[in-house]
Amino acid sequence: MTAPMAPAGTRPPDPSSIVRLSTSYWESQTLLTANRLRVFDTLADGGRTADEVAAVLQLDPRGTALFLRACAGLGFLEEVAGRFQNTPVAATFLVSRSPAFMGNVIKYSDQLYGAWGQLEGSLRAGKPALPAETYLGDDPARTRGFVMAMHERALGIARVLVHVLDLQGRRSMLDVGGGPGTYSVLLTERFPGLRSEVLELPGVAAVARELVAAAGASDRVTLRDGDYHSSDFGTGKDVVLMSGMFHRESEATCRGLIERASACLEPGGLLVISDVFTDQGGALPTFAAMFGLNMMLTAPDGGVHADADVMRWMGDCGFRDMRMVPLPPPMPHRVVLGVRP
Ligand SMILES: C[S@@+](CC[C@H](N)C(=O)[O-])C[C@H]1O[C@@H](n2cnc3c(N)ncnc32)[C@H](O)[C@@H]1O
């Protein structure tokens, strides 16, 4: 692989990103497999040799040694005197008893690995590789897995979001497509007096009810079975939250949802739209552009929007004082806010 000569004074194109990206799935699959096998739980109480890990997990010893060293190369394990142990990042985020465990989010990515392998087919057919109904109610196990992944992810995002949003004095929130209800639980906890109604598909709402009850929040967060395309949004709300659902919908549907949010809000009511958004042009941040493909693979109208477009749609609907707040890393989310006059 010899790069052609570059004109004097210019740098030749660098193929490093091509080499790295054409093999990055090795690294993804190593993490997904380690999470699936519960390697990090196996090492949670102390270091073990590769042979010991292989025996506990019923794996081939030679391959296990290579696999554990690959995990060490990724920064999740370290090998000390022949024994493998979790690094601090693995102990914090990859061990199931840790309060910051991310294993269900990783498991959801694992389930989508096959769908990404069908990217070409999805592009040709113009259809998702994975029917959305599978994880939105039809398959109870996958639905539960999806809700738990959203819950874990929301715990991270919402703990940041509650400090970005000032809902002091607000009393009645509608959480459209509120998933596990995690945002509603944390926001009503931070702002006493606020009550929230979560509008969700029945299969998801059933799991969410369990999570809300387990959080001791059933008196302030209620779940309503429904379909946000057709269910009544009610009236008299002073906050509408639409988190992580615009990426499932077309511009026309998003505009319709903004109009219905406006109609259910009192004057002065706040519309909060949180999602992964791109900059104008749609290519950056890179994660957001990739996220658009991920949604194309998993929802019929799935994709990604630019936050500036969403603010324009809100403006067209009469909202004012629009602003965008990016959540701090590692959250790739941005929050768009607007007030109903
Ligand atoms: C990515 S999740 C976001 C969940 C939650 N708002 C959050 O941010 O954690 C999108 C949610 O929209 C819900 N959803 C999708 N289509 C829906 C519909 N037609 N009616 C109601 N909810 C829907 C899904 O069940 C899912 O919980």
Side-chain angles (χ1 to χ4, degrees):
M1 205 178 353
T2 310
M5 290 291 286
T10 62
R11 286 186 179 196
D14 178 359
S16 304
S17 66
I18 296 172
V19 175
R20 187 174 54 78
L21 287 172
S22 61
T23 55
S24 314
Y25 66 92
W26 300 357
E27 299 177 13
S28 299
Q29 190 54 251
T30 301
L31 172 62
L32 300 178
T33 303
N35 180 62
R36 198 182 326 126
L37 290 172
R38 302 260 178 173
V39 166
F40 307 104
D41 276 359
T42 309
L43 299 172
D45 292 318
R48 286 182 150 146
T49 66
D51 282 351
E52 286 167 351
V53 173
V56 173
L57 297 178
Q58 298 180 307
L59 304 173
D60 168 66
R62 192 184 84 84
T64 301
L66 290 166
F67 179 57
L68 296 180
R69 290 203 175 98
C71 290
L74 291 176
F76 300 126
L77 299 180
E78 47 199 5
E79 188 176 1
V80 179
R83 303 179 84 75
F84 291 89
Q85 59 194 39
N86 290 330
T87 58
V89 76
T92 306
F93 299 110
L94 300 174
V95 170
S96 61
R97 68 181 180 215
S98 164
F101 182 52
M102 293 173 64
N104 285 305
V105 182
I106 299 169
K107 199 162 145 195
Y108 182 62
S109 292
D110 194 0
Q111 287 172 348
L112 297 190
Y113 191 84
W116 272 90
Q118 295 171 47
L119 178 58
E120 180 185 341
S122 194
L123 287 169
R124 291 196 187 284
K127 284 198 298 207
L130 177 71
E133 301 76 32
T134 320
Y135 60 93
L136 295 183
D138 279 7
D139 178 334
R142 286 193 86 153
T143 300
R144 181 171 288 275
F146 175 62
V147 179
M148 293 313 294
M150 284 190 295
H151 176 56
E152 266 170 24
R153 198 189 47 189
L155 279 175
I157 301 168
R159 285 206 175 106
V160 179
L161 186 73
V162 293
H163 296 285
V164 166
L165 285 183
D166 182 6
L167 302 185
Q168 209 67 50
R170 308 227 176 228
R171 315 208 73 78
S172 173
M173 180 164 95
L174 177 67
D175 185 354
V176 182
T182 317
Y183 284 74
S184 285
V185 168
L186 294 181
L187 285 167
T188 55
E189 181 181 86
R190 170 142 164 95
F191 298 103
L194 181 68
R195 299 277 177 273
S196 182
E197 179 184 50
V198 178
L199 178 66
E200 250 303 340
L201 297 170
V204 173
V207 184
R209 266 184 206 99
E210 291 174 24
L211 290 170
V212 170
S218 303
D219 55 337
R220 49 181 214 270
V221 176
T222 51
L223 270 296
R224 174 153 64 98
D225 290 358
D227 179 334
Y228 60 54
H229 293 125
S230 51
S231 297
D232 186 13
F233 279 9
T235 53
K237 308 289 178 192
D238 52 14
V239 187
V240 173
L241 173 64
M242 294 180 167
S243 167
M245 24 89 63
F246 269 36
H247 62 241
R248 311 186 65 81
E249 306 296 347
S250 66
E251 172 180 340
T253 302
C254 292
R255 282 182 178 273
L257 287 163
I258 291 171
E259 273 168 31
R260 286 166 61 217
S262 172
C264 87
L265 279 169
E266 294 282 295
L270 187 66
L271 175 56
V272 182
I273 303 175
S274 170
D275 215 322
V276 175
F277 291 119
T278 63
D279 300 339
Q280 280 295 47
L284 293 173
T286 309
F287 177 85
M290 292 297 128
F291 183 77
L293 279 185
N294 191 63
M295 290 316 303
M296 181 201 78
L297 287 166
T298 55
D301 286 327
V304 65
H305 300 289
D307 47 16
D309 287 338
V310 173
M311 284 196 271
R312 185 165 46 80
W313 305 337
M314 288 167 72
D316 289 348
C317 188
F319 280 88
R320 60 172 171 71
D321 299 338
M322 267 80 72
R323 63 197 174 95
M324 187 278 283
V325 184
L327 297 188
M331 306 305 170
H333 290 68
R334 299 173 181 180
V335 184
V336 171
L337 301 150
V339 177
R340 197 209 134 164

